[in-house]
Amino acid sequence: MRIPYGSRSLSYRDAVTLLDGADGPITALVATMTSADGDAEAATMGDGPLFAQRGRLVTWCADILRDLPGRIAGIGRFERTEILLAVHSILAVTAYLENTDQDDLNSIPFTRRRHDEVEAFLTDQELPAPSPDEDFHAIREHYRHYYESIDVLLGASAAAGAHQTYSLSYARLAADVPEFAVWAGLETVTLREILASMSTGAAADARRADLAKRYRVRLDRSILDSAAVPQHVAMPTLGAAYVSPRCRVRTCTSGSPASESWWHDGRPVEDLGGFLGAHLTTPWAVAAPLVVLGQPGSGKSVLTRVLAATMPENDFLVVRVELRSVPADTSVQNQIEQALYQEIGERVGWAELSRSAGDALPVVLLDGFDELLQATGVNQSDYLERVRQFQEREADVGRPAAVVVTSRTVVADRARFPDGTVVVRLEPFDEPRVRSWLSVWNGANTAKLGARSLAPLPPEAVLAHPELAGQPLLLLLLALYDATANELQRSEADLGRGELYERLFADFIDREVDKLGSDLTEAVRREEAGREWRRLTAVAIAMLNRGGDVITEAELDADMPHLLDPEDLPRPDPRDLNRALTVGQFLVGRFFFIHDSQATRDVGRPETSFEFLHATFGEFLAARHIVTALNDLAADRAFRAGRRQPGHLDAGYFSAATSFVTVTRRGPLRAFCQAMLDALDEQRRAECLGLVLELLPDAGYPHPRWSLQEYEPLRRPVAARHAAFSANLVWLAVVLSRGRIRGADLFGDDGPAAWIRHARLWQSQLPSEDFERLVDVLRVEYDGSDVTVSHPGGPIALLRSLGWVTRPHGPFPDFLADADSPGWRTARLALFLQEDGETLDTMIPIWRDLGPQVRYYASEGPVSAYRVLLELLLRPATDLPPMDRLVIYGHALDISTGGRTPTRFAQLVWRQLRDDLRVLPPADVARMLLQRTGSFGSDEQGAYVVVTTLRGLVGAASDLAAQLETALESSRKGVARLRSAR
């Protein structure tokens, strides 16, 4: 017998058959438990077919546990796993049998039905098995409930003893068999330690050994391509520098792993390598792919290299597939075979190689699923399902295979995850891991640093920038930056992220300029550095204008001639006989913090897309591009004004950077822009503000004389571009005005009306994400005949925010509301657009009385708490059937007792319910209250309702008793009349 494909559990009966054989004596014994007819001779459960044999079954389990180490020595990986899973099932059931007391059993009357129910529960129910995605506490909880359920069926009290026996037996078993320890998380060990302790010792054939050698050699190579390594740095090897990260694990049954909330129920795992080693020794490793998700630079590809190099070829046949290097539009098997050819230079069929593995478990590492999605743009949402189908087919023909797939987290929502897929999310490095990595780095570089009178990099200097230190590749970036002149550790403690990024990129740009020769004049060096900056920022703006963090090679090649002057475009080396590099290839070759994703089709060259290793790199560079364009244009305007030169002001380049996407859409982009603008001196700030205010009134008109009219990365209506451009101009004006500007300065005399026109244009033309962020970051208030636009801060003053309601003369109390409370999101939107002003004004007395929080309950749609309250207060109770009225009360009480509304809310609900008791059935009111016992006596009105309801019930019961007595008396008289008639 084999474990069914995809099974994560095994019944006792199946486990007996697997361990004892189909014709074994214990298998036959278990079979007789069901077939025996014990009704005639068995008086108690102790004499029934199941428990009468428990002594023999307990002894057999003890023999299995004693002989287990010898039984699994030297057998194949997958067969060993099957045996261990079966042993666990035997252990779990035997723990209950062992704790049943004979006297207790003899006191329980035997019935065939009870016996069969208990027997089925013990022998036929699938039993949960330990797995790496659940810790031992979770497994013990499963069995506590399992044993308690048997107690209920049997009428016994063996559950507590069985639970303790199971726990102790499992712990003893974990000491002898390493799989049981690592499956349940009882030991934290490395991948190498786990696999070495579980090795079967079988020899690998020549091709498997060749593959393993290829993978092992790469551990001795530098962690970074030598072309990108400065000469003053000693780069550690991959094997020495790799630090196994923390991770979070969850099995997929519903929802999307791309959602942060999906991971709230995930299990934290301290060591990813140890977890993977444990997972690959379980039977469900061959049932569905294990998916590893992480950010760019988090070490996903490095993980697959380390796995391929460290998994012993005696026990595993490992094939690593770089999905960027194999055809994207072909089957999983063809991708594996293509990768094999690239590794060993020999055409090998997968079926042939898998069969030759013998007892070794095939493990396929599919690295870079996200590259298939990004580079080709082809829908690959079913790829994981196709991987699972591949695994199912391999299991059906006796060649079970485990598969690990890596991908960036951000594209996880573009794939369907089959049920049972174990998903792993890489977590950022914590402080111990940062220190561990730096110890290797400093060990390799201390001598070179000392030769230049520089110090090793202390962990504290890196830990001051946790956003970068948490990702391995970005941690390397910090180390490379500091290795030039110890700039990172000499930086001020309050060094901002923008300034840090400026220094990081400047350091790399300076090294690129150094490659041009040491005889450059300072002026030439500055010009070349400026050219490098312009290239990088143009790439960032091209990505931003297309609405994402990724851009394809074709899109980049199309955009660069518009965004760069001809002299800034890459120039082919005349000595290079190969074809000229594309813009993308040129940039990626120069800056390793731009990541390229590739996917290959059956014909043609690879399709490539680009992204920055960290999203904030692109946002910083895009912000630099926007602020530089604004600064340059403001300087040009000031120069023309000072010289009184004629001619038009060409704002085309600045418009191209600010008329496709709003700056406020992304928090880091907005923060970088604001920090750069705040750093301007007062004169330049005033010049930039003057330029913005000059451009705003004409932002919606065509400007045929502006440059870059033909630049259109995304097709947008004129109104949509005007909306984005004008929204960015308004935001820039607010920032340049130190966070507050009057409508008259923005729009002229008709400030309030102009604001409303612009706000409604933005709502209708901007993508919803852009408009929502704009509402979050701008606030409008009215003061007499003008409007003030500012950054949000503090509570909302409602009357000052309402421009279209009648203002009372003289002082009038305003209403302050928490701007960040969830219920005020709708109100903020209405205030931003100046819609429903009268409604908001009317609600002020209610809000003042009840508080600003507006909450929701789930009905057919979201309904505010105050909607529920007004339904009760303003609608007569007789307008609705009593049960419908009570449903509303139920919602109101749920809201008021959940700690989400002010006390006044609950008081009003209870008072209205008190008044409605005269028309509501007491029994139904009582039923509603019993479902919400926490509501009883919550205040004086609530106590009155409860007491009155109970009295009503007593009265109703008395009335019912009287009616029954009358009916009974009538029945008696009727019977008497019938008898008399006879």
Side-chain angles (χ1 to χ4, degrees):
M1 175 190 170
R2 301 298 298 270
I3 293 178
Y5 170 79
S7 175
R8 296 176 69 90
S9 55
L10 197 66
S11 72
Y12 180 84
R13 190 183 304 277
D14 290 339
V16 168
T17 304
L18 192 150
L19 293 175
D20 195 46
D23 300 324
I26 303 299
T27 302
L29 177 64
V30 172
T32 63
M33 294 177 184
T34 302
S35 61
D37 182 4
D39 282 318
E41 63 275 5
T44 68
M45 289 297 287
D47 298 322
L50 172 61
F51 292 103
Q53 301 294 338
R54 77 183 192 283
R56 187 175 173 186
L57 296 176
V58 169
T59 301
W60 180 64
C61 177
D63 292 342
I64 288 176
L65 297 181
R66 184 186 62 250
D67 300 337
L68 183 60
R71 182 169 184 169
I72 61 176
I75 65 173
R77 171 73 268 156
F78 197 69
E79 183 182 355
R80 175 182 171 116
T81 296
E82 288 183 313
I83 290 176
L84 296 181
L85 187 61
V87 167
H88 174 266
S89 296
I90 298 295
L91 170 70
V93 171
T94 304
Y96 190 87
L97 296 176
E98 190 174 344
N99 280 274
T100 52
D101 182 82
Q102 186 64 41
D103 292 338
D104 288 344
L105 291 172
N106 290 340
S107 66
I108 301 172
F110 180 91
T111 68
R112 182 81 256 173
R113 179 177 179 180
R114 171 179 282 177
H115 175 275
D116 290 348
E117 287 178 347
V118 174
E119 186 269 341
F121 213 83
L122 282 169
T123 65
D124 293 330
Q125 179 158 318
E126 293 190 347
L127 303 169
S131 64
D133 54 331
E134 286 191 309
D135 59 20
F136 190 49
H137 174 74
I139 295 298
R140 291 177 71 247
E141 277 299 292
H142 285 314
Y143 278 100
R144 183 175 66 82
H145 293 303
Y146 172 69
Y147 296 139
E148 288 174 351
S149 298
I150 303 173
D151 268 0
V152 171
L153 287 174
L154 188 60
S157 57
H163 189 244
Q164 183 177 13
T165 298
Y166 168 79
S167 301
L168 294 175
S169 299
Y170 191 100
R172 287 193 294 267
L173 194 58
D176 296 331
V177 181
E179 280 94 333
F180 285 110
V182 297
W183 284 349
L186 296 177
E187 290 184 14
T188 301
V189 290
T190 65
L191 172 67
R192 195 187 301 271
E193 290 170 336
I194 287 178
L195 298 180
S197 66
M198 302 176 186
S199 177
T200 64
D205 64 10
R207 278 180 297 199
R208 192 161 15 123
D210 288 345
L211 267 175
K213 289 176 186 176
R214 284 277 292 169
Y215 296 141
R216 281 198 298 271
V217 164
R218 293 183 181 134
L219 287 184
D220 298 326
R221 296 179 182 172
S222 166
I223 58 175
L224 193 63
D225 187 346
S226 59
V229 178
Q231 293 183 352
H232 59 267
V233 167
M235 197 63 62
T237 65
L238 178 64
Y242 181 73
V243 177
S244 182
R246 299 175 302 159
C247 62
R248 190 167 287 272
V249 181
R250 185 177 173 189
T251 300
C252 200
T253 55
S254 63
S256 171
S259 168
E260 180 65 29
S261 61
W262 190 85
W263 288 99
H264 291 169
D265 295 329
R267 175 194 170 196
V269 173
E270 188 61 26
D271 181 79
L272 171 63
F275 167 81
L276 290 176
H279 173 80
L280 292 172
T281 61
T282 62
W284 37 92
V286 304
L290 180 142
V291 180
V292 178
L293 300 176
Q295 301 298 330
S298 60
K300 302 182 297 297
S301 292
V302 174
L303 167 68
T304 61
R305 293 191 181 100
V306 171
L307 276 176
T310 55
M311 297 179 71
E313 65 265 30
N314 294 349
D315 301 284
F316 299 94
L317 163 63
V318 183
V319 180
R320 180 175 179 268
V321 183
E322 279 192 346
L323 291 174
R324 64 187 299 166
S325 303
V326 299
D329 49 357
T330 188
S331 68
V332 174
Q333 179 167 329
N334 286 341
Q335 290 174 333
I336 297 171
E337 292 173 348
Q338 181 67 27
L340 284 167
Y341 175 71
Q342 293 170 0
E343 288 293 350
I344 61 177
E346 179 182 352
R347 297 288 182 188
V348 181
W350 168 254
E352 174 191 353
L353 182 66
S354 182
R355 277 193 294 268
S356 70
D359 291 335
L361 176 67
V363 178
V364 180
L365 309 175
L366 299 173
D367 182 32
F369 167 54
D370 53 293
E371 307 212 19
L372 296 183
L373 297 171
Q374 289 183 182
T376 65
V378 176
N379 185 359
Q380 297 277 356
S381 61
D382 65 339
Y383 185 75
L384 297 178
E385 293 173 337
R386 288 191 280 126
V387 171
R388 181 170 186 171
Q389 290 166 4
F390 164 79
Q391 290 181 275
E392 186 171 5
R393 185 201 67 188
E394 292 298 291
D396 288 344
V397 297
R399 303 190 303 258
V403 179
V404 177
V405 182
T406 70
S407 176
R408 289 194 311 134
T409 307
V410 72
V411 302
D413 60 345
R414 295 166 61 185
R416 293 193 296 272
F417 286 72
D419 284 351
T421 301
V422 177
V423 189
V424 175
R425 187 183 71 177
L426 303 185
E427 298 289 280
F429 275 7
D430 55 4
E431 181 176 337
R433 284 171 171 78
V434 171
R435 291 182 179 276
S436 176
W437 189 93
L438 283 176
S439 68
V440 176
W441 172 265
N442 287 331
N445 282 280
T446 296
K448 282 200 168 190
L449 290 168
R452 294 185 291 126
S453 301
L454 297 176
L457 178 57
E460 290 71 22
V462 173
L463 292 168
H465 308 283
E467 186 178 59
L468 298 182
Q471 302 290 353
L473 197 52
L474 303 182
L475 176 57
L476 172 61
L477 178 66
L478 291 175
L480 287 172
Y481 167 62
D482 187 74
T484 302
N486 282 165
E487 286 293 334
L488 184 67
Q489 52 188 295
R490 291 174 181 171
S491 300
E492 303 83 3
D494 59 348
L495 178 66
R497 184 169 59 172
E499 187 177 353
L500 173 63
Y501 283 13
E502 181 80 17
R503 296 182 185 184
L504 286 174
F505 282 102
D507 180 62
F508 279 94
I509 286 173
D510 287 344
R511 287 207 300 272
E512 288 301 313
V513 174
D514 287 342
K515 295 177 183 178
L516 299 177
S518 58
D519 56 345
L520 299 180
T521 66
E522 188 59 32
V524 172
R525 287 184 61 85
R526 285 197 302 270
E527 176 55 33
E528 290 297 332
R531 182 169 288 120
E532 297 292 352
W533 274 114
R534 290 191 291 274
R535 288 166 176 164
L536 276 172
T537 61
V539 172
I541 276 293
M543 290 181 184
L544 180 69
N545 282 347
R546 291 179 180 274
D549 296 319
V550 179
I551 190 169
T552 67
E553 185 175 13
E555 291 170 340
L556 192 59
D557 290 343
D559 285 4
M560 287 303 100
H562 298 292
L563 299 176
L564 291 176
D565 292 334
E567 60 268 21
D568 289 341
L569 291 171
R571 297 183 295 274
D573 188 335
R575 297 167 296 178
D576 190 354
L577 300 180
N578 297 321
R579 66 180 182 86
L581 296 176
T582 67
V583 174
Q585 292 168 336
F586 178 82
L587 289 171
V588 172
R590 297 168 74 85
F591 297 103
F592 80 91
F593 41 75
I594 297 180
H595 172 70
D596 65 315
S597 299
Q598 289 186 0
T600 306
R601 297 182 190 268
D602 286 337
V603 294
R605 67 186 185 89
E607 299 174 44
T608 307
S609 64
F610 305 105
E611 65 182 314
F612 289 97
L613 289 179
H614 199 281
T616 56
F617 285 175
E619 288 160 339
F620 165 78
L621 291 168
R624 198 179 195 276
H625 184 101
I626 291 169
V627 173
T628 300
L630 174 65
N631 213 348
D632 291 347
L633 188 60
D636 182 49
R637 174 177 174 270
F639 177 81
R640 290 174 180 275
R643 296 292 185 91
R644 297 183 179 179
Q645 290 185 348
H648 73 284
L649 187 70
D650 183 2
Y653 192 76
F654 175 63
S655 173
T658 54
S659 61
F660 290 95
V661 176
T662 59
V663 174
T664 55
R665 181 181 196 175
R666 300 184 181 189
L669 174 65
R670 184 177 72 248
F672 284 131
C673 280
Q674 183 165 348
M676 293 175 190
L677 293 171
D678 288 344
L680 298 176
D681 60 53
E682 289 302 321
Q683 180 179 349
R684 183 49 53 87
R685 174 186 287 270
E687 291 171 352
C688 288
L689 178 59
L691 170 66
V692 168
L693 295 178
E694 179 181 320
L695 292 174
L696 183 57
D698 294 330
Y701 294 93
H703 296 276
R705 300 176 66 187
W706 283 3
S707 57
L708 293 183
Q709 294 295 308
E710 69 283 1
Y711 173 61
E712 193 176 33
L714 290 178
R715 188 167 177 79
R716 290 278 189 263
V718 174
R721 290 195 61 180
H722 167 42
F725 191 36
S726 60
N728 284 329
L729 290 174
V730 168
W731 180 80
L732 288 169
V734 172
V735 173
L736 291 166
S737 301
R738 303 292 185 186
R740 193 173 187 86
I741 190 170
R742 295 184 67 82
D745 296 325
L746 283 170
F747 309 115
D749 294 337
D750 63 341
W755 170 264
I756 293 174
R757 288 197 302 271
H758 280 80
R760 294 180 181 178
L761 170 72
W762 299 333
Q763 183 190 36
S764 65
Q765 296 298 322
L766 292 177
S768 59
E769 181 182 0
D770 288 43
F771 180 67
E772 288 171 4
R773 297 289 80 76
L774 200 63
V775 173
D776 287 341
V777 301
L778 292 180
R779 184 176 299 170
V780 57
E781 292 183 351
Y782 285 79
D783 181 13
S785 61
D786 201 3
V787 63
T788 299
V789 185
S790 64
H791 281 306
I796 295 175
L798 195 61
L799 282 181
R800 289 205 304 271
S801 302
L802 290 171
W804 297 99
V805 299
T806 301
R807 298 297 182 86
H809 295 289
F812 197 82
D814 204 344
F815 175 56
L816 296 180
D818 182 5
D820 297 325
S821 62
W824 273 96
R825 182 156 194 83
T826 301
R828 287 207 312 274
L829 176 60
L831 294 173
F832 190 88
L833 297 169
Q834 284 302 295
E835 292 178 339
D836 299 323
E838 295 289 348
T839 301
L840 292 171
D841 195 42
T842 303
M843 290 296 292
I844 288 179
I846 296 179
W847 279 322
R848 182 180 293 111
D849 189 31
L850 301 180
Q853 297 292 325
V854 180
R855 301 293 183 176
Y856 301 95
Y857 72 87
S859 181
E860 295 179 357
V863 181
S864 69
Y866 301 129
R867 158 76 181 280
V868 175
L869 182 62
L870 291 175
E871 290 279 3
L872 295 174
L873 297 182
L874 303 180
R875 190 173 188 177
T878 54
D879 279 5
L880 285 174
M883 291 307 299
D884 290 350
R885 182 78 170 179
L886 285 174
V887 166
I888 299 176
Y889 272 116
H891 287 306
L893 292 179
D894 289 341
I895 293 168
S896 64
T897 58
R900 299 171 294 174
T901 53
T903 303
R904 180 63 173 154
F905 183 100
Q907 291 173 342
L908 290 171
V909 172
W910 283 116
R911 186 176 70 184
Q912 186 63 37
L913 181 54
R914 170 181 175 168
D915 294 341
D916 286 350
L917 286 177
R918 57 186 175 79
V919 295
L920 296 175
D924 293 328
V925 174
R927 188 177 299 108
M928 180 199 69
L929 294 176
L930 285 171
Q931 294 171 352
R932 298 164 178 85
T933 54
S935 304
F936 283 16
S938 58
D939 59 29
E940 183 179 345
Q941 300 289 342
Y944 176 89
V945 168
V946 172
V947 172
T948 303
T949 301
L950 293 175
R951 288 175 178 169
L953 287 174
V954 171
S958 299
D959 292 343
L960 179 61
Q963 293 172 16
L964 288 174
E965 186 173 349
T966 300
L968 182 59
E969 182 61 28
S970 298
S971 177
R972 287 172 178 164
K973 290 179 179 179
V975 171
R977 284 196 299 270
L978 286 174
R979 288 176 176 171
S980 175
R982 290 176 182 173

